[in-house]
Amino acid sequence: MSKSSTAAFPAEPFQNEPHTDFSRAANRDAFKRALSDVASQLGREYPLIIDGKAVSSRKSIISLNPSHSAQVVGRIAAATPDQAEEAIDTARRAFNQWRKVEPLHRAEYLELIAAEMRNRRFELSAWMVYECGKPWAEADGDVAEAIDFCMYYAEQMRWLSVPVQCDFPGEENSYFYQARGVAVIISPWNFPLAILTGMTVAALVAGNTVIMKPAEQSSVIAAKLFEMIRDAGVPDGVVTYLPGIGDEIGPALVDSPDVDLVAFTGSQSVGLSINEQAARTPPSQNHVKKVIAEMGGKNAIVIDEDADLDEAVQGVVGSAFGFAGQKCSACSRVIVLAPAYEPFLERLQGATESLKLGPAEDPGTTIGPVIDEDAQQRILGYVEIGRNECRTVVSTDVGELSGEGYYVGPHVFADVAADSPLAQQEIFGPVLAVMKANDLDEAFSFANSTDYALTGGMYSRSPKNLRRARTEMRVGNLYLNRPITGALVQRHPFGGYKLSGIGSKAGGHDYLLQFLIPIAVSENTLRRGFAPPPDDEA
Ligand code: NAD
């Protein structure tokens, strides 16, 4: 192979925000204090914020603590379709000013937001513990990722703000970027701060005005993000806080001829319907909407027959059961080569049974609750299918936690058929399907047999087989001999394809381009007949 064909561009320097070391007593104490401070603020009311003003609504969303479902985290105004229209009008008006703010200045706002997140780090994590049932380390990672998005996109915008010149004698040619317009950001609850922040600040730094429509279940955390955006000095009207019920205000936002871009992260069904709706161009609309949609996954890890099983079991358990399996990147299928199948299952069972189920605020908890009752019932439906169709390897009873919150114990089912719902559908909970493959061809074919292509992984000691995985496993993010969750901004730009997503990867070097319009200007500089006005003549 020639040297040039193996050359690669090194990434620009970027420092990810470090995660908190909870082995240090000082950090544990500070986190406990944040939990108790935030506990004293539960149950408050949160209005919509349109054009910098608090606006109430006749309807509200009641956000509950999934660990203790009788506890109200907050009561949030739920926007009506009329209020969604008002928010779009405001954003349209604010766009004329915001688009003209220097990109370097806009980048500074993101750094101020990041600084505010650092100041409020444990408090923000504590809100996620209560509102989304995130265990400590998961909540802490969520804040770190939000900070990374702010810092990384600020830096990317600095690069993108420099025009590319391609001049010739007598002709100046420049290529540069402009904002698109009004961006609607629709986010999920599972990375309640990081994903909402990432999509919002990307749109913002690119010069768009933003309507933030958070998930119903994490609307209080979104209100905290709005506070930080406001405290950073972003002018009124540039960002609107518009919580609401997705299928009530979603259509008003997505259909509006005054919206230029929709950035969505969430389920496949909602993402596909948004993509379809946004593609319509009614006569009153003079542009085609840009849609960025990051959707679900059905992620598989392949265990080769020579894999280090201790390492593989640890990686699979972390990837499958971290945050109770509620990560889009979570491992929900393990495909094991026949010779390793039974030994792997035996160790997987032991490791899974040792996980501690409990409320998220308890520092000893490894698996907290699932997000709400609907999710709990849906996941238990899959557990029932597993019990009927497959070999049950682990079935954890929630014991005395039953009735306290929305708990589902970790479950492992083996001998899962390739066409079983357990092997095909996104469960989004702590349920793991294990499948046996006779050889690597069959393993890759099982791995690729769903509509999704988000994350995937392989544990193997064979360089040849690992090379095969690189080309044959059809996923957006492939992880070899390591867990498949925990993507870091810039190091692991994140996103899928097939029915897992449309768009460049979040936290990647080309992500911001989606929020921008490229413009080329060519000027004849011979200036024949050019008549400067008198004040230019001095
Ligand atoms: P969801 O699709 O139910 O909701 C996401 C958002 O869409 C919410 O804000 C909701 O209110 C809104 N919504 C619902 N109906 C709508 C409609 N008709 N029009 C407009 N908006 C509407 O998803 P969720 O339960 O919040 O999140 C879990 C899903 O998100 C999983 O499928 C997971 O895989 C996916 N996810 C993907 C990624 C990724 O990067 N690919 C990251 C995180 C989560």
Side-chain angles (χ1 to χ4, degrees), residues 186-190 213 215-216 246 250 264-267 295-296 328 426:
I186 303 178
S187 67
W189 50 264
N190 70 330
K213 159 46 198 118
E216 294 82 333
F264 166 85
T265 305
S267 63
M295 301 177 277
C328 45
E426 186 184 47

Side-chain angles (χ1 to χ4, degrees), residues 186-191 195 213-217 244-247 249-251 254 264-268 270-271 273-274 277 294-297 327-328 426 428 454 494-496 500:
I186 303 178
S187 67
W189 50 264
N190 70 330
F191 284 89
I195 291 181
K213 159 46 198 118
E216 294 82 333
Q217 300 92 331
I245 311 290
D247 50 17
I249 58 162
V254 175
F264 166 85
T265 305
S267 63
Q268 189 193 88
V270 176
S273 81
I274 286 177
Q277 281 171 49
E294 302 300 333
M295 301 177 277
K327 298 182 189 178
C328 45
E426 186 184 47
F428 224 57
L454 192 50
F494 188 80
S500 286

Side-chain angles (χ1 to χ4, degrees), residues 222-302:
K224 303 292 156 193
L225 172 60
F226 184 83
E227 275 171 27
M228 292 182 287
I229 293 171
R230 190 196 53 204
D231 292 350
V234 174
D236 286 350
V238 171
V239 179
T240 297
Y241 170 62
L242 198 80
I245 311 290
D247 50 17
E248 287 179 11
I249 58 162
L253 292 169
V254 175
D255 290 345
S256 169
D258 286 323
V259 164
D260 298 271
L261 177 146
V262 181
F264 166 85
T265 305
S267 63
Q268 189 193 88
S269 58
V270 176
L272 293 180
S273 81
I274 286 177
N275 191 41
E276 209 174 304
Q277 281 171 49
R280 289 185 217 131
T281 46
S284 56
Q285 183 176 311
N286 65 2
H287 59 277
V288 178
K289 279 177 202 143
K290 172 85 180 168
V291 175
I292 303 159
E294 302 300 333
M295 301 177 277
K298 185 69 193 170
N299 314 305
I301 296 181
V302 171

Side-chain angles (χ1 to χ4, degrees), residues 136-468:
W136 289 27
E138 302 281 353
D140 180 68
D142 203 311
V143 186
E145 191 178 6
I147 294 171
D148 282 349
F149 280 134
C150 294
M151 299 303 291
Y152 184 69
Y153 293 148
E155 195 52 23
Q156 292 296 309
M157 194 62 223
R158 290 198 173 96
W159 288 100
L160 290 170
S161 66
V162 181
V164 176
Q165 287 299 133
C166 185
D167 297 341
F168 285 81
E171 187 181 274
E172 270 179 24
N173 298 308
S174 58
Y175 186 88
F176 57 93
Y177 295 101
Q178 279 184 357
R180 286 183 171 271
V182 173
V184 167
I185 307 297
I186 303 178
S187 67
W189 50 264
N190 70 330
F191 284 89
L193 185 66
I195 291 181
L196 181 60
T197 300
M199 295 193 291
T200 298
V201 300
L204 202 59
V205 79
N208 304 283
T209 48
V210 176
I211 296 170
M212 290 200 313
K213 159 46 198 118
E216 294 82 333
Q217 300 92 331
S218 54
S219 300
V220 173
I221 294 158
K224 303 292 156 193
L225 172 60
F226 184 83
E227 275 171 27
M228 292 182 287
I229 293 171
R230 190 196 53 204
D231 292 350
V234 174
D236 286 350
V238 171
V239 179
T240 297
Y241 170 62
L242 198 80
I245 311 290
D247 50 17
E248 287 179 11
I249 58 162
L253 292 169
V254 175
D255 290 345
S256 169
D258 286 323
V259 164
D260 298 271
L261 177 146
V262 181
F264 166 85
T265 305
S267 63
Q268 189 193 88
S269 58
V270 176
L272 293 180
S273 81
I274 286 177
N275 191 41
E276 209 174 304
Q277 281 171 49
R280 289 185 217 131
T281 46
S284 56
Q285 183 176 311
N286 65 2
H287 59 277
V288 178
K289 279 177 202 143
K290 172 85 180 168
V291 175
I292 303 159
E294 302 300 333
M295 301 177 277
K298 185 69 193 170
N299 314 305
I301 296 181
V302 171
I303 312 292
D304 204 353
E305 58 184 80
D306 67 354
D308 176 333
L309 291 191
D310 290 330
E311 206 178 47
V313 164
Q314 207 183 20
V316 165
V317 167
S319 305
F321 300 120
F323 191 32
Q326 302 172 107
K327 298 182 189 178
C328 45
S329 53
C331 169
S332 63
R333 298 179 291 156
V334 197
I335 301 161
V336 190
L337 272 288
Y341 192 68
E342 291 303 334
F344 174 82
L345 273 178
E346 198 184 316
R347 292 187 209 191
L348 178 67
Q349 178 183 0
T352 308
E353 284 173 349
S354 72
L355 298 172
K356 188 170 173 294
L357 186 70
E361 75 277 7
D362 180 342
T365 292
T366 40
I367 304 197
V370 297
I371 189 70
D372 58 19
E373 194 177 354
D374 284 354
Q376 184 188 36
Q377 293 313 314
R378 196 193 61 246
I379 298 163
L380 290 174
Y382 283 104
V383 166
E384 207 44 44
I385 296 174
R387 286 202 181 111
N388 293 334
E389 283 186 6
C390 318
R391 169 160 53 123
T392 304
V393 178
V394 178
S395 175
T396 318
D397 188 55
V398 304
E400 59 194 23
L401 291 167
S402 167
E404 178 62 26
Y406 309 121
Y407 293 92
V408 179
H411 283 76
V412 177
F413 295 104
D415 306 345
V416 176
D419 60 353
S420 161
L422 258 61
Q424 290 294 320
Q425 294 168 18
E426 186 184 47
I427 300 172
F428 224 57
V431 178
L432 181 61
V434 189
M435 303 156 81
K436 189 189 324 190
N438 289 315
D439 54 31
L440 214 50
D441 287 339
E442 189 174 50
F444 290 151
S445 144
F446 285 161
N448 294 334
S449 70
T450 73
D451 292 337
Y452 297 99
L454 192 50
T455 67
M458 180 168 179
Y459 281 87
S460 174
R461 284 182 165 122
S462 155
K464 180 167 160 262
N465 291 351
L466 290 168
R467 267 199 306 277
R468 278 192 63 188

